Amino acid sequence: MSAQTGEQTGGATKLTATLAAARAEGRAALVGYLPAGFPTVDGGIAAVKALLEGGCDAVEIGLPHSDPVLDGATIQTADDIALRAGVRTKDVLRTVREVASAFPQAPVLVMTYWNPVDRYGVDRFAADLAEAGGAGVILPDLPVEEAGPWLAAAERLGLDTVFVVAPSSRDERLRLVTAAGTGFVYAAAVMGVTGTREQVGDLAEDLVKRTRAVTDLPVCVGIGVSNEKQAAEVAGFADGVIVGSAFVKRILESGDDLESGLAGIRETAAALARGVRAGG
């Protein structure tokens, strides 16, 4: 299928269809995150594939950034490793292309801050992402008021645009953000940056309730989930569970033994997949 039509599944985008399929099974979806180029570009491609092999329904591929505002220490460490090795946007797109080719049914998103997209060129980035088989982007720092050029390009190419809401978002802001986004709404479970936590926190459930009151988009919760129990807890009130730092930690703990890291990722994804099924 072409990039322009490949994201469409019976009139819905691949991302929408995947979340709907999970809901039809009576469970939340599992969304895995890893930055591109970590621990190497080829190793990172294998790692993202391992997320899907382990049981993730969709994946986010991070574009490493030197000054992230949402990512905690674990993901910052991975980004730093990738950047020191010289990872570029073209490597991120190659990661998308190889993962999307190997798993044609799985939505492959890019999570990136706005500056790299702006520097690469809005229309060029959207076209290259679509050509690579990408399903869309998550843009945590792009204000919806300034998102017009990106949204136009994304709509033209069949890409979803996911915006982030936080516990501090007021209801009026939730309406504005969710009206502009597609695919799903990324609900940050806590006020702070990414990273594994002992408890997910009670702000997430209230945020999901408030977000659902203003939109029909699925609401997926990220930040802080790292184990099967937490995944089940979040799956009890959200449409999707997003996990990143727990996967990055498995690779970091494996040092230079990539195969051990990949096995760890598959093991963690399988446990989290059991969690989203137990909590639905």
Side-chain angles (χ1 to χ4, degrees):
M1 291 185 288
S2 69
Q4 285 79 1
T5 59
E7 306 306 320
Q8 307 298 321
T9 305
T13 66
K14 187 187 295 185
L15 181 57
T16 298
T18 296
L19 291 166
R23 177 178 292 182
E25 294 177 13
R27 65 175 177 89
L30 177 61
V31 183
Y33 167 93
L34 281 172
F38 169 71
T40 63
V41 174
D42 288 337
I45 292 169
V48 177
K49 290 179 179 177
L51 293 178
L52 293 163
E53 292 163 355
C56 287
D57 299 289
V59 291
E60 304 171 9
I61 296 171
L63 196 158
H65 197 280
S66 59
D67 189 25
V69 296
L70 185 65
D71 301 315
T74 301
I75 292 177
Q76 285 185 33
T77 298
D79 280 5
D80 187 59
I81 290 171
L83 291 170
R84 287 177 182 273
V87 70
R88 295 289 184 268
T89 300
K90 64 181 177 60
D91 299 311
V92 178
L93 294 169
R94 179 163 81 85
T95 302
V96 171
R97 180 178 293 104
E98 296 204 18
V99 174
S101 176
F103 295 87
Q105 300 305 315
V108 182
L109 306 170
V110 168
M111 183 166 184
T112 177
Y113 298 102
W114 179 243
N115 182 257
V117 177
D118 192 39
R119 290 185 60 185
Y120 192 85
V122 173
D123 289 335
R124 180 187 174 204
F125 186 86
D128 287 356
L129 178 59
E131 187 278 331
V137 295
I138 300 170
L139 295 163
D141 66 341
L142 176 63
V144 294
E145 294 88 346
E146 301 173 16
W150 168 260
L151 290 171
E155 182 178 9
R156 186 167 61 250
L157 292 164
L159 298 170
D160 278 313
T161 301
V162 176
F163 289 109
V164 179
V165 297
S168 60
S169 301
R170 298 189 176 187
D171 291 349
E172 182 179 349
R173 187 68 186 171
L174 293 179
R175 290 189 183 90
L176 183 65
V177 170
T178 57
T182 61
F184 68 85
V185 183
Y186 187 125
V190 298
M191 295 299 296
V193 297
T194 62
T196 59
R197 288 174 168 80
E198 293 298 321
Q199 295 181 325
V200 175
D202 56 8
L203 296 176
E205 186 169 2
D206 178 67
L207 177 59
V208 171
K209 287 180 180 176
R210 293 198 296 121
T211 305
R212 281 178 169 164
V214 298
T215 183
D216 292 329
L217 287 174
V219 184
C220 301
V221 171
I223 301 182
V225 177
S226 62
N227 58 49
E228 182 175 344
K229 180 180 178 181
Q230 290 174 334
E233 177 188 349
V234 173
F237 59 81
D239 300 295
V241 180
I242 303 170
V243 180
S245 295
F247 294 124
V248 171
K249 284 184 67 176
R250 295 304 298 259
I251 296 179
L252 290 173
E253 290 167 354
S254 298
D256 295 331
D257 189 347
L258 178 60
E259 289 305 316
S260 175
L262 297 179
I265 284 175
R266 294 188 193 95
E267 180 182 75
T268 300
L272 293 165
R274 289 194 298 271
V276 299
R277 284 163 174 77

